[in-house]
Amino acid sequence: MANNYRASFSLFFTALFLLPRSCPQSTNESGDEHQILLGLKRYWGSSPVLGRWNPNSSDHCSWGGVTCTNGMVTAIFLPNQTFSKPIPPSLCHLKNLTYLDLSYNNFSTSFPTVVYNCSNLKYLDLSNNAFAGQLTADINSLSAKLEHLNLSANRITGKIPASIGQFPLLKSLRLDTNQFDGSYPAHNISNLASLEVLTLAENPFLPAAVPVEFGKLTRLTYLWVSGMNMTREIPESLSSLTELSLLAMNNNMLQGTIPTWVWQHKKLQYFYMYSNSFTGRFHPVSLP
Ligand SMILES: *[C@@H]1O[C@H](CO)[C@@H](O)[C@H](O)[C@H]1NC(C)=O
Ligand SMILES: *[C@@H]1O[C@H](CO)[C@@H](O)[C@H](O)[C@H]1NC(C)=O
Ligand SMILES: *[C@@H]1O[C@H](CO)[C@@H](O)[C@H](O)[C@H]1NC(C)=O
Ligand SMILES: *[C@@H]1O[C@H](CO)[C@@H](O)[C@H](O)[C@H]1NC(C)=O
Ligand SMILES: *[C@@H]1O[C@H](CO)[C@@H](O)[C@H](O)[C@H]1NC(C)=O
Ligand SMILES: *[C@@H]1O[C@H](CO)[C@@H](O)[C@H](O)[C@H]1NC(C)=O
Ligand SMILES: *[C@@H]1O[C@H](CO)[C@@H](O)[C@H](O)[C@H]1NC(C)=O
Ligand SMILES: *[C@@H]1O[C@H](CO)[C@@H](O)[C@H](O)[C@H]1NC(C)=O
Ligand SMILES: *[C@@H]1O[C@H](CO)[C@@H](O)[C@H](O)[C@H]1NC(C)=O
């Protein structure tokens, strides 16, 4: 009895003693983020930019490649650092992170699913690395706030998962210059109603007709679908893409004629159709 009493009495005092010290620490989110960034520096080593992160300076918001909003880290911009060690989970403990650019590094793992946990991400650029393997069907576990996804110039194989069509706010989707094969989920991609930039070019897809559904993507300004085994004629449905400034369909197996609507699209500045199997005259000029 007496022992029990003494035990709970001392527990009570231990708690009193610990509380004032542990509380401010666990609510100092800026201090936590400082530690997370120092952890990244230790982990990835002294790259050109991380080498200049001074651990003695408490103001990590002024470090190169780091941007804060109201004292919380919102952007990490670290392209071209020769990072090769996989992206660590701690990166997503920066819970206000909305912008992540790790392009032009030396990552060679499969797609880093740890970034699924960056739940506020709007911009993800992992282009120009050596990411390999396949994207998995749960790619829609990436932040639903995503507006820009750039996976260009990697070594990703297999099919593009149909769940790629589940990002209602996505404005740009760049999947060009990889090793995606099989067929691509044209129908699901055409559900990305906010899409302005779409690149699927330079992937060894199976031969298939130009997707009629892409005519639904009426906000597109940039459509790069070169070198991806597209066959048959350019469908009339694409005439609805009146916002296009670039349309690149070169190096395919397209047939028929260049449709006349392309000459009426006032915003079209770049139009690449070479290396196809078109017939007929290329430009509607009247010869003398
Ligand atoms: C929070 O942590 C930062 C960085 O370690 C430190 O500069 C700041 O004084 C701390 N703020 C509070 C209220 O403890
Ligand atoms: C950080 O502070 C320590 C101790 O004051 C000092 O030895 C070290 O040179 C400082 N490092 C930098 C990068 O300023
Ligand atoms: C990468 O950095 C090197 C030197 O640090 C520079 O010469 C090169 O232009 C950079 N490349 C890109 C793509 O930023
Ligand atoms: C995901 O983030 C939450 C909140 O920041 C964190 O508690 C959790 O441990 C993270 N999960 C992983 C797998 O890193
Ligand atoms: C950081 O994110 C949290 C949770 O999403 C949010 O409540 C908070 O307002 C954000 N802080 C800033 C400074 O944006
Ligand atoms: C990183 O990749 C670049 C370009 O792909 C290459 O030139 C460089 O040698 C690589 N560096 C390391 C450390 O692997
Ligand atoms: C990746 O895509 C984004 C959004 O379309 C674009 O702004 C960025 O320049 C691209 N990154 C590279 C390295 O080209
Ligand atoms: C892909 O689109 C089809 C047709 O609209 C739909 O039935 C299917 O649920 C979509 N798949 C995913 C994973 O979103
Ligand atoms: C076209 O498809 C064939 C399979 O029928 C494949 O071997 C080839 O690599 C593809 N070519 C391109 C340029 O995607």
Side-chain angles (χ1 to χ4, degrees):
M1 201 62 181
N3 269 348
N4 266 349
Y5 178 77
R6 202 175 304 137
S8 42
F9 188 75
S10 69
L11 250 178
F12 175 70
F13 272 97
T14 311
L16 260 189
F17 175 71
L18 282 175
L19 266 175
R21 296 176 50 159
S22 62
C23 261
Q25 242 169 25
S26 64
T27 56
N28 187 348
E29 293 176 323
S30 172
D32 290 349
E33 297 208 322
H34 189 82
Q35 293 308 319
I36 292 167
L37 293 178
L38 287 179
L40 289 178
K41 179 183 159 91
R42 278 192 301 273
Y43 174 78
W44 267 328
S46 278
S47 73
V49 172
L50 297 200
R52 293 196 299 269
W53 287 7
N54 181 353
N56 295 347
S57 134
S58 63
D59 183 18
H60 56 264
C61 293
S62 67
W63 290 352
V66 177
T67 303
C68 295
T69 307
N70 300 325
M72 300 296 284
V73 177
T74 50
I76 294 285
F77 178 79
L78 292 170
N80 204 10
Q81 302 297 303
T82 66
F83 295 151
S84 59
K85 284 171 88 178
I87 299 174
S90 62
L91 188 72
C92 295
H93 297 167
L94 301 167
K95 64 186 178 61
N96 290 75
L97 193 65
T98 58
Y99 182 105
L100 178 60
D101 184 347
L102 293 172
S103 61
Y104 293 101
N105 278 291
N106 292 58
F107 298 113
S108 57
T109 62
S110 56
F111 180 85
T113 53
V114 290
V115 299
Y116 288 175
N117 207 23
C118 294
S119 55
N120 284 311
L121 223 49
K122 291 183 181 169
Y123 185 103
L124 178 60
D125 188 350
L126 299 176
S127 69
N128 297 280
N129 279 286
F131 286 110
Q134 308 197 1
L135 297 184
T136 48
D138 62 354
I139 192 71
N140 59 325
S141 303
L142 278 169
S143 160
K145 299 174 183 169
L146 211 58
E147 294 175 11
H148 302 277
L149 177 61
N150 193 342
L151 302 178
S152 297
N154 279 290
R155 298 173 190 166
I156 306 172
T157 56
K159 291 197 170 189
I160 298 174
S163 55
I164 202 76
Q166 294 182 14
F167 296 98
L169 306 178
L170 204 62
K171 289 187 188 147
S172 70
L173 177 61
R174 295 186 189 253
L175 300 175
D176 65 272
T177 326
N178 276 287
Q179 295 297 320
F180 288 114
D181 58 19
S183 55
Y184 44 93
H187 192 87
N188 304 77
I189 291 173
S190 71
N191 284 335
L192 295 167
S194 308
L195 215 54
E196 294 166 13
V197 172
L198 175 61
T199 74
L200 297 170
E202 307 302 333
N203 279 296
F205 293 117
L206 282 177
V210 182
V212 173
E213 300 96 319
F214 283 180
K216 280 172 66 186
L217 297 168
T218 53
R219 295 193 185 178
L220 280 183
T221 60
Y222 193 103
L223 179 59
W224 183 26
V225 287
S226 310
M228 52 181 274
N229 260 341
M230 290 197 304
T231 62
R232 305 179 59 180
E233 302 196 357
I234 298 176
E236 187 57 29
S237 68
L238 295 197
S239 67
S240 59
L241 306 183
T242 53
E243 297 298 312
L244 284 178
S245 74
L246 179 142
L247 175 58
M249 305 181 109
N250 52 283
N251 293 86
N252 281 296
M253 304 187 288
L254 297 175
Q255 295 173 337
T257 52
I258 308 277
T260 50
W261 53 258
V262 299
W263 313 111
Q264 281 133 33
H265 282 25
K266 297 274 181 292
K267 297 181 180 171
L268 198 56
Q269 295 184 61
Y270 303 97
F271 181 60
Y272 303 106
M273 289 288 157
Y274 59 88
S275 295
N276 278 294
S277 306
F278 294 117
T279 49
R281 221 178 321 141
F282 187 70
H283 196 284
V285 287
S286 39
L287 297 169

